[in-house]
Every structure is written in C-alpha cells, then in structure tokens.
Amino acid sequence: MKLYNADLPPYEEDTVLLAQYLQENDMEALGKLYSKHAEMVYYVCLRYFKEEEKSKDAVMQIFEELITKIKKQDIKSFPKWLYVVSKNFCLMDLRSKKGKEEISVDEFVEFPISMHQEESYSEKEGKLSSLEQCMEKLPEKQRVTVDLFFINEHCYKEVVEITGYSMNEVKSYIQNGKRNLKNCMDRADA
Amino acid sequence: MHKLTFDIAHLRKYVNGELSSKEMHEVERAAHDDEMLSDILMGLEIEKSEGNPAVSFIDIHHKIVNRTQRKSASSSLLHNRPLQIAASILIILSGLLFWYNQDQHPKTEQTLIADAQQEIIGPSHDRIAEISSTPDSTVKLFSNPDYSPPRETNENIQRHQNLSGNPHSRKLTEQESQILAYTPTEKNIDFNQDLAGTLNLSHPKHENDVIIINTEGQDKYNLMASNQKKQTQPKIADTRVSSNPNTPLSSAQMRARLSSLGLDSQTDLIWGQVLDQRSKQPLAGVEVTDTQNDNVVLTDADGRFLYAANNKKSLKIIASGYRAKEVKAEDGSQTILLSPLEDLLDDIGYESKVLKSGKSIPTIGWEKYMTYLFAEIDKTTEKEYDLSVRMELNKDGRPTNVSIIRSSDKELNAKVIYLIENGSAWETGVDSKNIYLQIKPRK
C-alpha cells in the first residue's frame, strides 16, 4: 500500500531522496522524504497514543530515530519500513509508560504482510473445502459477519444494517472470525 | 502490494462516510490485508471521534524543515576543527578564570582543586550545554573532556595556560568573540537537564560511526551532532558503538539499546532474529507475542526483535505465510527459523477473488434465481431469515450435496435444500465443487 499525496510522483521520488541522504548525508533530502510520509506517521501514532499532541511530538521523535536508523538498514520500501519503525516506536513507548497489561493482543491488527500466491485450481479446491469446514466451526456471529463481509462483499456499514450488530461488534467479529479461520486453516495444514 | 492505492484524503472521505458502499468495502478489504492502512484508518477515526478539526501538517512540515536546516546551518561551525579547539580552550579558560577569581577569597587547597575540577569539566556526561549564538539559529556544543583523548586535553590545558596570563592579549575573531560571549560562566550557560536521555554522536563524514549513549534519563532523548574524534571511546556504561551497520549487535549492545528506551534494568531481555528457514532471509514485521500476557513486538527490517520480560515463559512467533512457532523465552541471542507454509491460505479474502473470477452462476441469472428463492421461501415463513448454503455442481450443472452452513431458522433448511436442488441449473465455474450462497432478502 502506498500512501501519497496525489500531486507527488510516487515510489521513485522516495528512492531518489533516500539515496541522496545516504550518499551525500543531505539532511534536507531526508526532511523532504519524511515530510511526504509525516501524515501517515502521525495517524499511526494517533491510533496508538490516542492523543494529538503526543502524536505530533512522536512524529518528530521518530524523525530523530530515523536519522541514524535509516543508515543501518537496507530499505526496499520506505513507507513500509517507516510504518514498522513508527509502530515499534509507539508500542515501545506505550509499554515503557503504561505497563504491560494495557496492551492486549486484541489491539493489534493481524495479518501484517499478505502474500498472495498463484496456485493451481486443485490446491484452491482443497483450501476451499477446509475453509468451509472452518467456517462451520466459527461462532455464529463471526460466521455471519465474515460471510457478509468477505463472501458477499458488503461494507461494514451494510453489515451493521443487515445484522443489527453495532459497528464495533461487526469489526471485532470479522477480525476474530478471520483470525479463527486462519488458525483453523493453519491447523488443517499442520 | 495492492492494486488499489489510497491517499490520506481518500481515507478521510471514508471515515467521514462520503464514499459509496462499494468504495467503502474496497477500503475495508484492503485494510484487512494491510496493517498500515488499518492503523491509519484507526488514527483517522480517533481524530474524528475527538471532534477535533483535522490536524494541520504545516506545523509538522515546518518543524522538519527547521530540524534539517538547523543541522546544516550548525554543521559549518561543527565541522570547523580549529574553531572547535578554540571553543574548548575558551571553555576551559573561563573555568580557570572563574577559579582565579575564586582564588581571591581564602580557601583551602582542597576546595580549590574541587572547584577547579567542577568548573573545568563543565557539563557532565549527561548534560548538554545549549548555547544560543544568534537569536534565530542554535548552535549546540557538546563539551565533555571525558571523551577527548588525554593528549588533546593536556594540549588544551597547556595552550590555555599560555593564554591564561593575559586572555585578551590578541584580537579575537568575530566568531571567537561570539563564542566567548557565551562562554560557560554560570550565568550564560543553561544546563538543560530535561535533555538527559539518549545522546547520539555522529560524525557527518564518518556516518557509520554512531555512538549512542544512554544516560538513563526519563525524559525524551535529544540528538546531538558533534565532531568528536572518531577514535573516541566512550567510558560510560550503556554505550553502544557500531562501526559497521552490518555487524550484528552484541548482547550488551542490544541491552543498551533497550535500556535507552527507559525500561528498568531488572527485566530480562530476550532478543533474536527471525529468518525464513529456506532462504535464511530476515523476516520483517513478524509478530512476536508473549504467551503469558499477549504483549506483541514486531521484528525490524533485519528480522530482529527485542523483548523485555519479567517472567520467562514462551514467545509465539507469528508471521503471515509461515508456520507459527513457539520458542522458550531465554536471555540472549536466538535465531528463530520459520518454515514457510507452502499451501497457505493467508486470508479468507483470497477466496472471494477466486469466486469473482469465473465463478459459477445460475443459468437463469442471479436476479431471477434469488427472486425465485425468496418468493418460494416467503410462502413458508413471514419471519426474516438468513441462511448460508454450500453446494456442489455435478457435471450437468445441477446442484448436489447442498448443505446449510448457517441458518437463522432451522425449519427452513429442508425447504431451501429442496428449492436449490430443484431450481435452475448452473453454469459451472472454477468454484463448482464449493459454492457458497447466502440467502437473505435485502430490506
């Protein structure tokens, strides 16, 4: 996923700016590069900190981290890398400040990097049939919402309307349903 | 990577409910596959729920520009080695001057020495002297004799002593007078203790030599650029010197890195690297979960992670596309190899893509088919209903093995199976061995 302002040329500019900083130590290039993605960093921070000011500060703190970190790693996709750095920054901060119990696994969205692979039809069929068995094992609420969202391609709002569950319930059922399905599929594969 | 790309403006529209159902579903589906997108959406939703107006990023961009320009503006001074030496001399000089003034008053020899040391040394290792040279630009000097090789220090003192007899014996350059004006006497210097934290010393010309010094401060770290000598060896505990970005970090270095995050020293540190078993390539963004309390850390681009635990239970390593693995949480280094799941179904969204491309359809068309089903079911019940059905198609395109996966009204099950088995034939698609059908009238 790339997130750019529409008027900025995409990926190539990142690469150019990054190279400029790495080769010439050009801080302005780094600043420019980071500026492009500052909004993304801000909203990621806001999602974890839930505080506007703290998130703004974090944007600058992450930038400081970046100045050295960026040289030590081979970065293929800057936005993705920056996202991981930002998220780690937030999680580390939350853990060091709030103590452990407040960050539960439910706060984290699953499925970090998806890898779609081309497969033959027979493999797909095998998966479909184990998927179906897994679907049956899901608790009803999860099954219904997963069905509506993934199979029938309704947006959350429509799922809310159809089921009468709240928006948060719908999101959580789909999330949990998806996780359960995945776990179930993993077990089936094992 | 996704086919669809969204910018923040589009996502804001989503959050504000300005998109069509189809567009909304697109965003939602993409967010299921993309943690970054999902986090951004949550951030935007928080912003909306707070009722605040959208944050202006002019502020942040301005800060970034300031930060980058300040560095380049100050670097001309910091690069200037003679000037730096001059600055050190002047700092020491003023210290001695202060001592000299103190000398007017009767004191014991010991106190004098103590005073002198205090003044000469100036900022201790965790202190930073922040000296404003002009109103609109800030020059930060990091002064710490501990870091200077002893020879240089002696030289400085010697040169200083030569000067100390008559400090104003020669005309000072403009720059020197500027620095002299801010020479650390008690009034001029402002030791900002809040800045205690992590200091980062890096030589712009030796960019691989980065020294991170943790001073165990609780406050936000500050990053300093300094033209310290390359060979300088830090003498403080909790330091990490990495001269080559590819050198793996030692246990102590990792410890230092962690302790710079302000965690207490008693926690056990577990660190490791997650690799693909086959390719031995590092895996980034892998979830490392503490099974005891569900805390999660992610691996960095090198597949490394660091976790501070108060108890040693096991860690679960979860990566999409790999078999999850549980490892015993132990101090020190471990390399964790994850085996790729060859026949992975990485998320169930995958399935609907299959269904979309060449999926089976009733020969009379969906609209007629569903109308038929609804009309027939409505003859049996007046209540609302919602069923999910799975079926196969035989070689003639007739539905067989129809089963009810989910039903809001069990009494309808048999009827629905009957209707499907005796309804329209189907055009066989790639999903003919597994067709899902939801039967629920839209209101």
Side-chain angles (χ1 to χ4, degrees):
Chain A
M1 181 61 52
K2 297 168 200 159
L3 289 147
Y4 299 110
N5 295 327
D7 56 330
L8 288 168
Y11 193 72
E12 292 76 27
E13 198 186 341
D14 281 355
T15 319
V16 170
L17 288 172
L18 186 59
Q20 214 171 324
Y21 174 66
L22 293 179
Q23 284 156 23
E24 297 160 33
N25 215 32
D26 180 349
M27 280 294 286
E28 278 182 46
L30 183 66
K32 215 169 151 191
L33 176 62
Y34 190 66
S35 272
K36 282 175 66 182
H37 302 285
E39 268 186 289
M40 180 275 276
V41 174
Y42 170 77
Y43 284 111
V44 168
C45 294
L46 188 62
R47 174 251 186 278
Y48 289 103
F49 293 144
K50 300 180 175 68
E51 287 171 48
E52 193 180 309
E53 284 310 314
K54 192 178 163 79
S55 305
K56 277 187 186 171
D57 290 345
V59 172
M60 291 313 292
Q61 286 159 7
I62 290 167
F63 182 63
E64 297 293 344
E65 268 194 9
L66 217 64
I67 294 169
T68 49
K69 266 195 178 172
I70 207 167
K71 290 179 176 167
K72 301 193 184 106
Q73 290 170 358
D74 179 24
I75 298 161
K76 289 186 183 72
S77 162
F78 181 74
K80 274 194 172 179
W81 179 81
L82 181 59
Y83 166 70
V84 172
V85 169
S86 307
K87 181 172 173 175
N88 281 346
F89 177 90
C90 297
L91 294 182
M92 287 292 194
D93 186 275
L94 287 178
R95 188 168 50 232
S96 66
K97 297 239 164 65
K98 288 189 178 174
K100 305 188 159 227
E101 66 287 345
E102 297 200 26
I103 311 170
S104 79
V105 74
D106 288 337
E107 289 220 26
F108 298 91
V109 181
E110 305 255 319
F111 309 106
I113 299 152
S114 66
M115 291 168 239
H116 294 287
Q117 294 158 353
E118 288 306 316
E119 289 151 291
S120 71
Y121 283 143
S122 67
E123 280 174 320
K124 280 173 189 165
E125 271 178 31
K127 281 175 194 175
L128 280 164
S129 91
S130 52
L131 176 71
E132 172 224 333
Q133 285 163 10
C134 289
M135 277 286 276
E136 284 179 68
K137 290 180 194 158
L138 285 185
E140 172 161 351
K141 287 170 178 171
Q142 293 177 12
R143 199 175 53 214
V144 173
T145 48
V146 164
D147 191 350
L148 286 171
F149 182 76
F150 284 111
I151 298 171
N152 288 286
E153 304 192 328
H154 292 293
C155 69
Y156 291 149
K157 216 174 125 197
E158 289 172 328
V159 177
V160 167
E161 283 161 13
I162 293 167
T163 58
Y165 304 138
S166 75
M167 180 63 97
N168 283 341
E169 282 171 334
V170 165
K171 283 182 185 173
S172 134
Y173 293 149
I174 291 175
Q175 197 68 51
N176 293 336
K178 198 171 134 178
R179 178 169 53 220
N180 287 335
L181 271 185
K182 190 169 146 65
N183 290 344
C184 173
M185 297 299 288
D186 283 348
R187 275 197 300 276
D189 282 334
Chain B
M1 286 290 171
H2 272 267
K3 283 168 275 174
L4 298 168
T5 60
F6 303 105
D7 59 19
I8 300 265
H10 187 79
L11 298 180
R12 190 168 274 131
K13 275 190 197 164
Y14 168 81
V15 171
N16 291 335
E18 293 161 13
L19 298 180
S20 72
S21 294
K22 191 168 172 284
E23 286 171 319
M24 281 167 78
H25 186 262
E26 257 174 24
V27 172
E28 287 157 357
R29 269 294 296 280
H32 268 266
D33 293 330
D34 189 326
E35 209 185 352
M36 177 164 121
L37 178 58
S38 154
D39 275 358
I40 293 166
L41 281 176
M42 283 164 117
L44 282 161
E45 274 165 5
I46 289 165
E47 181 179 75
K48 195 189 172 218
S49 66
E50 304 266 303
N52 296 334
V55 167
S56 157
F57 286 93
I58 297 167
D59 212 30
I60 288 170
H61 292 313
H62 191 70
K63 274 189 197 162
I64 295 168
V65 168
N66 262 357
R67 173 68 184 83
T68 52
Q69 282 179 349
R70 187 177 68 200
K71 174 118 179 183
S72 51
S74 63
S75 61
S76 63
L77 276 179
L78 291 168
H79 283 169
N80 193 330
R81 183 117 194 107
L83 190 65
Q84 229 195 9
I85 294 169
S88 330
I89 294 169
L90 287 167
I91 289 167
I92 295 165
L93 169 74
S94 71
L96 280 196
L97 269 180
F98 188 75
W99 175 35
Y100 182 76
N101 288 340
Q102 294 284 311
D103 207 18
Q104 312 287 330
H105 309 288
K107 273 194 177 178
T108 70
E109 208 174 310
Q110 267 188 339
T111 341
L112 287 176
I113 290 164
D115 280 352
Q117 275 171 348
Q118 221 171 3
E119 292 310 314
I120 291 168
I121 288 166
S124 64
H125 70 79
D126 59 347
R127 287 181 172 185
I128 295 150
E130 187 168 335
I131 304 166
S132 295
S133 59
T134 60
D136 55 350
S137 80
T138 306
V139 177
K140 289 185 173 180
L141 292 179
F142 181 84
S143 170
N144 184 358
D146 279 349
Y147 291 130
S148 308
R151 207 177 292 164
E152 196 197 20
T153 313
N154 291 340
E155 189 187 310
N156 282 351
I157 290 167
Q158 270 174 8
R159 287 173 70 172
H160 153 259
Q161 280 167 348
N162 292 341
L163 284 169
S164 66
N166 188 356
H168 300 290
S169 61
R170 68 179 173 90
K171 201 166 186 287
L172 296 166
T173 67
E174 198 189 321
Q175 277 171 316
E176 280 171 338
S177 0
Q178 211 170 53
I179 285 167
L180 190 64
Y182 291 94
T183 303
T185 63
E186 273 183 338
K187 272 182 189 173
N188 285 335
I189 213 159
D190 178 23
F191 293 139
N192 195 342
Q193 301 208 26
D194 285 346
L195 292 173
T198 303
L199 303 183
N200 227 322
L201 309 179
S202 65
H203 190 300
K205 284 181 183 164
H206 302 283
E207 51 200 51
N208 290 341
D209 298 298
V210 176
I211 305 164
I212 292 172
I213 301 163
N214 173 53
T215 56
E216 299 189 334
Q218 292 296 315
D219 284 292
K220 309 277 185 267
Y221 68 85
N222 191 32
L223 193 111
M224 298 285 296
S226 168
N227 204 9
Q228 294 291 329
K229 244 189 173 174
K230 192 182 163 191
Q231 297 85 350
T232 296
Q233 288 299 318
K235 290 167 188 165
I236 309 161
D238 277 341
T239 59
R240 165 165 73 87
V241 179
S242 170
S243 58
N244 179 345
N246 297 322
T247 308
L249 300 170
S250 74
S251 174
Q253 286 163 351
M254 292 299 279
R255 227 167 240 281
R257 187 188 270 195
L258 188 83
S259 64
S260 73
L261 295 162
L263 297 168
D264 71 61
S265 55
Q266 279 161 6
T267 43
D268 291 312
L269 302 183
I270 298 151
W271 59 279
Q273 192 177 24
V274 181
L275 304 175
D276 180 308
Q277 182 149 37
R278 254 191 272 161
S279 67
K280 302 288 186 286
Q281 287 300 305
L283 298 173
V286 171
E287 279 184 27
V288 178
T289 309
D290 186 336
T291 53
Q292 184 79 355
N293 52 21
D294 285 349
N295 284 338
V296 174
V297 291
L298 292 177
T299 58
D300 67 10
D302 292 333
R304 292 181 208 283
F305 69 90
L306 184 58
Y307 184 71
N310 288 325
N311 47 47
K312 290 183 193 171
K313 292 287 172 177
S314 57
L315 294 177
K316 194 170 187 191
I317 320 291
I318 301 165
S320 181
Y322 292 85
R323 198 160 289 175
K325 194 168 189 174
E326 261 191 42
V327 296
K328 219 177 148 207
E330 282 171 322
D331 278 15
S333 165
Q334 10 185 354
T335 302
I336 296 146
L337 298 171
L338 290 188
S339 42
L341 270 180
E342 279 190 291
D343 42 0
L344 149 86
L345 185 75
D346 69 49
D347 72 48
I348 70 144
Y350 178 76
E351 302 318 318
S352 58
K353 265 177 224 157
V354 176
L355 297 181
K356 252 191 266 178
S357 55
K359 62 184 177 183
S360 310
I361 51 166
T363 41
I364 58 167
W366 277 113
E367 204 177 323
K368 278 189 183 169
Y369 189 72
M370 294 314 286
T371 312
Y372 150 79
L373 284 180
F374 293 148
E376 291 298 318
I377 296 169
D378 285 345
K379 288 178 190 165
T380 319
T381 181
E382 288 180 358
K383 283 186 274 179
E384 285 180 22
Y385 49 87
D386 179 5
L387 298 96
S388 275
V389 175
R390 184 203 156 271
M391 68 180 98
E392 291 173 26
L393 298 179
N394 66 17
K395 57 181 188 298
D396 302 323
R398 299 295 315 171
T400 58
N401 289 337
V402 181
S403 56
I404 305 291
I405 298 172
R406 170 176 67 75
S407 172
S408 63
D409 186 348
K410 302 243 180 321
E411 287 168 23
L412 291 176
N413 292 3
K415 170 94 176 170
V416 168
I417 292 172
Y418 172 84
L419 288 172
I420 289 173
E421 283 178 343
N422 295 286
S424 165
W426 290 59
E427 280 171 22
T428 308
V430 292
D431 59 344
S432 62
K433 293 291 171 211
N434 251 301
I435 297 170
Y436 286 94
L437 181 61
Q438 190 194 17
I439 304 166
K440 176 173 179 165
R442 298 235 188 144
K443 285 171 221 162

